[in-house]
Amino acid sequence: MTDETLPAVQDFYPDHLARCFGCGRLNEHGYRLRTRWEGDETVTRFTPSPYHTAIPGFVYGGLLASLVDCHSTASGAAALYHAEGREYSDAAPAHRCVTGTLTVRFRRPTPLGPPLELRGRIVNVSGRKVTIESWVLVGAEVMVEADAVVIEVSDDFGARR
Amino acid sequence: MTDETLPAVQDFYPDHLARCFGCGRLNEHGYRLRTRWEGDETVTRFTPSPYHTAIPGFVYGGLLASLVDCHSTASGAAALYHAEGREYSDAAPAHRCVTGTLTVRFRRPTPLGPPLELRGRIVNVSGRKVTIESWVLVGAEVMVEADAVVIEVSDDFGARR
């Protein structure tokens, strides 16, 4: 079990790139997901609220897709730090990715109530593009499988608007 | 332009299957998406809130995936009514689907502010399984493309828990 007080990838997103509903530490309405390495896997944990339901008793699939999406962009950023031989930290440049393609396979209905654990593995890093495979687990059971291709954005992506 | 007061697929979900965060008319915290036929395409409209952001100025990808997810399950239900030679209505049995697999391709950053239009086309109906392709548009421009396979659930799916 990781200490949730340890640094997370999202802690080092520049302020103007830290407003994401899913994983921006500065979005007070959002989920504020935090993603970190555990060994060679990336991990994010989240406990849905009772209203995050689809069919009663089960988690809303759109939430699951959202969690996988942000877990994947954070995993991509983490991988880009590793590709430079370093860990996410205050040292510039920070890495921040957006999603190109996301595939989500809902393997079984995800029970609403227990904490969800998202785990990811880096499949490939090619320049600014990272491919990630990931899973949503309840306990040891895989509920959702996903593949994502994410792409690094330039630091001034948001600032330019 | 469709009259938004016209009946939508979700109006006829049984109460216990109408609690979905994305498209349940009985989920007061959710998006309450409403999906209907326009010709041979299914259409859902939604205007994001300012906090539904990813990078400033753009819509959060997790929201887009969520919208596509619910638009697809509703489109699947609409297609199952058509497969029976009827329209969605109070007449039983109602149709309600959940997502098996969802692929979302983010073609360009979706601007945050204008209304989003989701349009879908039924690719295939095979028993309880429906394949849908869909798009998220801002005006006439395609922002997101998606494919989904959805599966009908039994009427007592939620009630059994």
Side-chain angles (χ1 to χ4, degrees):
Chain A
M1 183 64 72
T2 291
D3 183 345
E4 296 293 327
T5 63
L6 288 174
V9 183
Q10 293 90 345
D11 298 346
F12 306 105
Y13 288 170
D15 282 1
H16 67 286
L17 299 179
R19 311 261 171 196
C20 174
F21 187 83
C23 62
R25 65 181 180 277
L26 302 178
N27 190 324
E28 63 185 23
H29 299 275
Y31 306 138
R32 290 179 165 159
L33 302 176
R34 299 179 75 241
T35 304
R36 59 175 69 79
W37 292 110
E38 286 187 21
D40 61 355
E41 293 183 356
T42 53
V43 178
T44 308
R45 296 188 176 89
F46 184 77
T47 301
S49 297
Y51 54 79
H52 287 136
T53 190
I55 308 288
F58 300 103
V59 178
Y60 165 50
L63 174 70
L64 295 165
S66 300
L67 300 178
V68 169
D69 185 44
C70 283
H71 174 73
S72 298
T73 56
S75 299
L80 290 169
Y81 284 101
H82 269 201
E84 294 173 344
R86 63 192 184 110
E87 293 296 338
Y88 37 84
S89 73
D90 279 327
H95 290 295
R96 179 75 167 89
C97 296
V98 295
T99 308
T101 303
L102 176 69
T103 298
V104 186
R105 295 179 293 280
F106 299 93
R107 289 302 188 200
R108 50 185 59 78
T110 301
L112 179 60
L116 306 178
E117 182 173 273
L118 290 92
R119 303 193 73 89
R121 207 172 290 156
I122 308 304
V123 175
N124 187 54
V125 179
S126 175
R128 296 164 52 227
K129 189 156 79 170
V130 184
T131 305
I132 302 106
E133 55 182 12
S134 57
W135 309 264
V136 180
L137 297 144
V138 171
E141 194 171 15
V142 174
M143 301 289 154
V144 175
E145 295 172 349
D147 298 296
V149 178
V150 305
I151 301 151
E152 177 158 49
V153 295
S154 60
D155 181 59
D156 66 348
F157 184 85
R160 279 178 301 179
R161 286 183 63 93
Chain B
M1 183 64 74
T2 291
D3 183 346
E4 296 292 326
T5 62
L6 288 174
V9 183
Q10 293 89 346
D11 298 346
F12 305 105
Y13 288 170
D15 282 1
H16 67 284
L17 299 179
R19 311 265 170 194
C20 175
F21 187 84
C23 63
R25 66 182 179 276
L26 301 178
N27 189 325
E28 63 183 24
H29 300 276
Y31 306 139
R32 289 179 165 160
L33 301 177
R34 298 179 76 243
T35 304
R36 59 175 67 79
W37 291 109
E38 285 187 21
D40 61 355
E41 292 182 357
T42 52
V43 178
T44 309
R45 295 188 176 89
F46 184 77
T47 301
S49 297
Y51 53 79
H52 287 136
T53 191
I55 308 288
F58 299 103
V59 179
Y60 164 49
L63 175 70
L64 295 164
S66 299
L67 299 178
V68 169
D69 185 45
C70 282
H71 174 72
S72 299
T73 55
S75 299
L80 290 169
Y81 284 101
H82 269 201
E84 294 172 345
R86 62 191 183 110
E87 294 296 340
Y88 37 82
S89 73
D90 278 327
H95 291 294
R96 179 74 167 90
C97 295
V98 296
T99 308
T101 303
L102 176 71
T103 297
V104 187
R105 294 178 293 279
F106 300 93
R107 289 302 188 198
R108 50 185 59 78
T110 301
L112 180 59
L116 307 178
E117 182 173 273
L118 290 92
R119 302 194 75 88
R121 208 171 289 156
I122 308 304
V123 176
N124 187 54
V125 179
S126 175
R128 296 164 52 227
K129 189 156 80 171
V130 184
T131 305
I132 302 108
E133 54 183 12
S134 57
W135 309 264
V136 180
L137 298 143
V138 171
E141 193 171 15
V142 174
M143 300 290 154
V144 175
E145 295 170 350
D147 298 297
V149 177
V150 305
I151 300 151
E152 178 160 47
V153 294
S154 60
D155 180 60
D156 65 347
F157 185 84
R160 278 179 301 179
R161 285 182 64 90

